Amino acid sequence: MSSLLLKTLTKKEEIDRIIRDTIDEVLVLRFGRCTDTVCLQHDDILAKSVTDVSKFAKVALVDVDSEDVQVYVKYFDITWFPSTVFFFNAHHLKLDSGTADHTKWVGAFHIKQDFIDVVEAIYRGAMKGKMIVQCPVPPERIPKYQLLYKDV
Amino acid sequence: MKEPSKKSEIEYCKVCRLHHDHGSRHKYFPRHKDLLSTFLDRFRTKIADVRFFLKNPSVLRPQEQSQNRVWCVFCDEDIVELGSSFACSKAINHFASSDHLKNVKQFLSKNGPAMDCIDDFRISEANVATWRRKCQSLGSEDASSFKGSCEQLSGTSNDIHNKLAFKTMDKIENVPAQLINSHHSSDVLPLQYNTNKYQISHSELPGVAHYGSYLNMDSSHLPLHTDPPSNLPGNGFGKHVIPSRSKDYPSSQDQERKQIKGSYSSPGEVGMTSISSSHSSDACGNVHSGAPPPWLDANDGNSSNVQLNQSDMSSSFQAKIPGNTRKLNPNRVGAAWAEKRKIEIEMEKRGQTMNSKVDAEWLPNFGRVWQSGTRKESRKEFEKEKRKLVKTESISTESEPVKIQPYISKRARRETGENGSG
């Protein structure tokens, strides 16, 4: 259902176009599979919140099973699904949530408000010129995971 | 770091009827402004009633003295007409006094709109002087007619409506017949009689129809004025209405007399008088013809400017033309890139074919997870890895296919060799 509301991107060109065309707004790219349960939960939260953040953010889904997209999967070091990457004016913004990976949000959001808070924090930081922002979500609602360095 | 706002001591706002610690900022709050406009409107109607008696002094009967009272909101005092022979005489004197003027100025500086509406809330000395002269002339006439009207009324019930209706009749008969216009207009005829005590006294002058319980003098200008002005926003309202009132007052009496209908209903019956629309037809038009209201002419289109500004603002909010949005922080992330991209988009829209084809190798600015240097370095690292990957793939495809054979031990090979040779 959420895939009907949100744009799903399957090609590198589409991703490039959306990154380049989103000006002065946060671009939220979710990398995942629409069949995965955690991705489904995540997509549901995104779909419900998209109108609330529509004035300062755009949301799009990227299907990681597509071959064209693998270059971005490698470039963004995506190992867990779903992973959400944030952009502002074609610049990647980092989110310090206390986890090992600051470059993206790994896992699903628990509630809509968490997602809205994160996007708002990123927008505010970006407008002030910050490339990394503090995550406003409390630690109990941040998904935990293990990062492997070069398969170690 | 933003300094915390100064906390002022708690004050009571007469207009909003609440205590606040906003200090001097309170008068600029929109809620306060709205309440202030209604507050001042109410007082304007009261002073309009008093002004009516300023133009048309009438004798105040002792029975009505206690009812004829005004509360002055600026001075916070009740003006009761005890012991005064003419209607609203004490009120007129009060509104002309210097103390009242001082209080009005104080109120306006503390609460509200600009000082230019100060004249609405006071009566000038000149007007008071003319009123005094009229009273003196009236005083001599009325002594004789007073007794007569008393006899007439003694038979009827002690109803103030009827008493004043009789007085009205006397006045009408004095009006010259030439000026009487028995025009039956199709205009809406407002109520003549009202429960408000001042409205009742104003029924002396027919043609002064009543609109609700507030407007008196303005009712004759109904063809020009539409809804009660309370609908207009904030302080701008005061500027619109007051000039028309002050402009019209000197001539209003003459105009109203022209509009007086000849026939009058019998006393006790609530009669209707029609107001001739000749006045409105002489003017530029009315609300039905879409003509601008008179207060706009008086203000030289001030309100039209306000309306234009409002429409401009609304259109600017609606229009989302790239490059025309409000000023964004130039230090925001990717500002330079965003400006460049906006220009590119505009040029593409205009039809100038730009190099819209994005390089397939384009990658956004990204800081990788395990990077140690700048983001450019992370991109270079990624491209290096990509090239390595491509090389290894190409090498593997270019090499000959390896033939897979089963393993033969040395002994077996020796035996086969010996068998072959032997």
Side-chain angles (χ1 to χ4, degrees):
Chain A
M1 178 65 189
S2 52
S3 56
L4 296 170
L5 301 164
L6 300 170
K7 222 193 260 185
T8 307
L9 311 171
T10 50
K11 294 185 184 160
K12 184 181 182 287
E13 293 160 6
E14 289 173 0
I15 299 174
D16 288 347
R17 202 179 315 130
I18 200 170
I19 290 173
R20 289 166 64 85
D21 290 346
T22 307
I23 300 170
D24 295 331
E25 276 183 346
V26 176
L27 175 64
V28 181
L29 286 181
R30 182 281 273 150
F31 286 82
R33 287 188 189 100
C34 56
T35 49
D36 180 41
T37 46
V38 184
C39 280
L40 280 174
Q41 184 196 343
H42 186 54
D43 293 349
D44 184 49
I45 300 266
L46 291 180
K48 284 178 185 172
S49 323
V50 74
T51 45
D52 294 330
V53 299
S54 58
K55 288 200 170 171
F56 58 96
K58 254 196 230 171
V59 182
L61 311 177
V62 180
D63 186 13
V64 295
D65 293 327
S66 157
E67 283 177 21
D68 248 358
V69 163
Q70 295 308 312
V71 63
Y72 274 131
V73 171
K74 288 203 182 75
Y75 184 46
F76 297 154
D77 295 325
I78 292 170
T79 48
W80 293 94
F81 304 123
S83 285
T84 313
V85 188
F86 303 95
F87 288 91
F88 188 85
N89 283 341
H91 284 61
H92 164 240
L93 289 171
K94 294 190 182 182
L95 182 71
D96 182 4
S97 50
T99 55
D101 189 353
H102 294 177
T103 62
K104 56 184 84 68
W105 173 275
V106 175
F109 290 97
H110 282 235
I111 49 174
K112 244 175 70 175
Q113 194 55 47
D114 285 348
F115 171 68
I116 293 169
D117 289 344
V118 164
V119 176
E120 187 189 337
I122 287 186
Y123 182 75
R124 285 185 187 278
M127 284 310 233
K128 289 183 185 165
K130 297 191 195 295
M131 300 292 272
I132 184 162
V133 297
Q134 282 292 323
C135 179
V137 179
E140 56 266 18
R141 294 209 288 267
I142 298 175
K144 304 278 185 292
Y145 54 91
Q146 291 278 346
L147 257 195
L148 302 170
Y149 176 62
K150 296 189 179 175
D151 296 331
V152 168
Chain B
M1 193 69 180
K2 215 175 177 182
E3 285 178 3
S5 59
K6 282 183 193 171
K7 277 200 172 175
S8 337
E9 41 187 48
I10 292 175
E11 295 169 11
Y12 178 72
C13 175
K14 241 192 309 191
V15 174
C16 305
R17 289 189 197 164
L18 54 85
H19 287 87
H20 64 89
D21 61 351
H22 304 144
S24 56
R25 294 181 288 133
H26 180 75
K27 66 179 172 177
Y28 301 111
F29 285 18
R31 188 169 171 270
H32 175 86
K33 282 185 182 175
D34 292 339
L35 290 170
L36 182 72
S37 63
T38 45
F39 183 88
L40 293 177
D41 287 345
R42 266 185 271 130
F43 191 73
R44 279 196 190 97
T45 53
K46 286 188 194 172
I47 204 167
D49 300 345
V50 173
R51 282 210 176 100
F52 173 77
F53 283 109
L54 187 74
K55 299 288 171 190
N56 313 292
S58 63
V59 178
L60 184 67
R61 299 164 67 81
Q63 297 95 310
E64 294 141 25
Q65 273 177 5
S66 56
Q67 292 169 355
N68 191 342
R69 58 205 310 176
V70 182
W71 173 267
C72 178
V73 292
F74 301 108
C75 311
D76 284 337
E77 58 179 76
D78 200 12
I79 307 159
V80 190
E81 303 290 337
L82 292 170
S84 54
S85 51
F86 293 100
C88 295
S89 63
K90 282 199 176 164
I92 288 167
N93 288 323
H94 171 83
F95 289 134
S97 67
S98 56
D99 285 339
H100 173 77
L101 175 66
K102 199 174 87 177
N103 288 329
V104 170
K105 282 185 180 169
Q106 219 173 6
F107 181 89
L108 289 178
S109 66
K110 190 180 172 197
N111 283 305
M115 290 292 191
D116 52 4
C117 56
I118 201 172
D119 288 327
D120 305 338
F121 306 115
R122 59 184 288 261
I123 293 172
S124 64
E125 290 293 333
N127 290 340
V128 174
T130 46
W131 173 77
R132 282 200 187 117
R133 269 185 265 119
K134 283 184 189 171
C135 288
Q136 280 169 6
S137 61
L138 193 68
S140 53
E141 286 175 12
D142 224 44
S144 52
S145 63
F146 192 73
K147 284 181 187 170
S149 60
C150 272
E151 285 164 9
Q152 273 184 1
L153 292 169
S154 59
T156 60
S157 61
N158 192 17
D159 187 358
I160 194 164
H161 294 258
N162 294 332
K163 282 180 201 168
L164 295 169
F166 281 122
K167 274 200 177 179
T168 311
M169 280 182 72
D170 292 334
K171 284 264 174 180
I172 288 164
E173 283 162 9
N174 294 333
V175 171
Q178 296 169 2
L179 300 173
I180 291 167
N181 203 345
S182 61
H183 172 79
H184 292 272
S185 70
S186 59
D187 296 339
V188 172
L189 302 175
L191 287 175
Q192 189 181 25
Y193 287 98
N194 206 295
T195 51
N196 188 309
K197 46 190 172 287
Y198 283 106
Q199 314 328 332
I200 293 158
S201 54
H202 295 162
S203 64
E204 297 178 276
L205 193 69
V208 180
H210 305 292
Y211 193 110
S213 60
Y214 290 115
L215 293 177
N216 305 316
M217 295 298 284
D218 286 343
S219 55
S220 60
H221 306 296
L222 272 174
L224 301 172
H225 293 222
T226 55
D227 294 325
S230 57
N231 292 335
L232 288 174
N235 295 327
F237 149 69
K239 291 177 191 171
H240 303 154
V241 176
I242 282 78
S244 66
R245 285 194 186 204
S246 56
K247 181 182 78 172
D248 288 328
Y249 268 133
S251 58
S252 63
Q253 209 174 2
D254 298 328
Q255 288 170 0
E256 280 151 17
R257 283 201 177 142
K258 283 179 192 171
Q259 293 164 12
I260 291 163
K261 195 178 170 181
S263 62
Y264 198 69
S265 55
S266 59
E269 194 183 304
V270 178
M272 303 279 257
T273 44
S274 72
I275 298 162
S276 126
S277 62
S278 60
H279 172 71
S280 59
S281 59
D282 291 338
C284 323
N286 60 14
V287 68
H288 301 292
S289 64
W295 55 82
L296 280 184
D297 303 330
N299 279 336
D300 295 325
N302 271 356
S303 72
S304 65
N305 288 342
V306 168
Q307 281 167 16
L308 277 170
N309 288 342
Q310 284 174 353
S311 64
D312 284 345
M313 276 164 62
S314 61
S315 62
S316 67
F317 283 140
Q318 285 161 15
K320 276 193 175 179
I321 308 159
N324 285 350
T325 55
R326 63 176 194 273
K327 204 178 172 186
L328 292 167
N329 183 0
N331 296 330
R332 69 188 186 282
V333 170
W337 182 89
E339 297 304 321
K340 211 171 72 174
R341 188 80 188 112
K342 276 181 200 169
I343 293 166
E344 276 176 23
I345 289 169
E346 265 182 62
M347 288 178 84
E348 274 170 26
K349 274 187 188 169
R350 276 184 227 154
Q352 294 178 22
T353 48
M354 294 288 291
N355 190 12
S356 56
K357 277 194 176 176
V358 181
D359 183 19
E361 301 300 319
W362 179 84
L363 289 168
N365 176 309
F366 189 84
R368 298 186 84 193
V369 182
W370 305 107
Q371 77 167 87
S372 51
T374 61
R375 292 186 177 195
K376 274 188 184 168
E377 281 181 25
S378 72
R379 198 189 292 185
K380 282 181 192 167
E381 208 183 294
F382 175 73
E383 281 170 2
K384 219 192 289 180
E385 282 172 15
K386 219 167 92 177
R387 267 182 262 129
K388 266 190 202 167
L389 196 69
V390 169
K391 260 188 194 170
T392 50
E393 278 176 8
S394 61
I395 287 163
S396 61
T397 51
E398 278 168 12
S399 62
E400 287 171 7
V402 175
K403 223 175 172 186
I404 300 169
Q405 284 178 343
Y407 173 68
I408 302 166
S409 64
K410 233 185 202 176
R411 202 193 236 181
R413 267 186 264 146
R414 229 188 295 140
E415 281 169 7
T416 49
E418 280 171 10
N419 289 339
S421 60

